[in-house]
Amino acid sequence: MLGYTIDQLKVGQQASFSKTVAESDVYLFAGISGDFNPAHVNQAYAEQTAFKTRIAHGMLAAGFISNVLGNQLPGPGTIYISQSLNFLAPVAIGDTITATAEVVELNMEKKRARLKTVCTNQDGREVLVGEALVSPPRG
């Protein structure tokens, strides 16, 4: 199964993925990445921070963008070239995050697609924004 090739993509095309962040997601991500920052895994410590509770890793939410790009738009066979990320708000355990990617530019000569990437929480608040450059599957 392959995703959309450069010839099949259209500017304005979008896809999304939603997931509620569970406590187990945070601990699993900490174990996989090695990032045991107490802001993520230590409630007593986190209560002393500006957020007053543990927060999910920013890169966990960014991983939801990878889900959209690799599974939906452009989809299977897509290769990441680059990704910019701006973290705007914390993601709390229990938040439902929706990652959306929208095609904003197609470079037919280089066979590259530029996509606006956004993660929002259940209240519609943007928690992460950025831009991805990808090489869609060749078909």
Side-chain angles (χ1 to χ4, degrees):
M1 177 173 130
L2 288 178
Y4 296 97
T5 65
I6 193 74
D7 298 323
Q8 296 169 321
L9 290 171
K10 305 283 183 243
V11 171
Q13 194 171 357
Q14 293 185 24
S16 296
F17 165 78
S18 296
K19 181 175 184 351
T20 300
V21 177
E23 184 173 30
S24 59
D25 296 323
V26 172
Y27 282 109
L28 288 167
F29 190 88
I32 291 166
S33 67
D35 180 354
F36 289 94
N37 181 330
H40 308 306
V41 298
N42 183 317
Q43 184 62 31
Y45 173 89
E47 288 173 359
Q48 304 304 311
T49 69
F51 305 120
K52 304 297 182 208
T53 190
R54 288 179 299 140
I55 58 172
H57 302 76
M59 294 307 289
L60 175 61
F64 299 161
I65 295 167
S66 182
N67 174 307
V68 175
L69 299 177
N71 292 318
Q72 296 182 61
L73 185 68
T78 296
I79 303 298
Y80 247 126
I81 305 297
S82 66
Q83 173 76 57
S84 67
L85 299 169
N86 292 303
F87 299 96
L88 305 178
V91 173
I93 294 169
D95 280 355
T96 299
I97 303 301
T98 300
T100 302
E102 177 183 355
V103 177
V104 294
E105 181 181 11
L106 298 169
N107 182 326
M108 305 308 271
E109 182 180 318
K110 291 187 176 181
K111 297 188 190 294
R112 301 282 189 263
R114 191 166 54 89
L115 298 97
K116 176 182 173 184
T117 55
V118 180
C119 289
T120 56
N121 67 15
Q122 65 280 355
D123 299 321
R125 182 175 184 190
E126 291 183 347
V127 297
L128 185 159
V129 297
E131 187 175 277
L133 181 65
V134 300
S135 175
R138 298 295 172 135

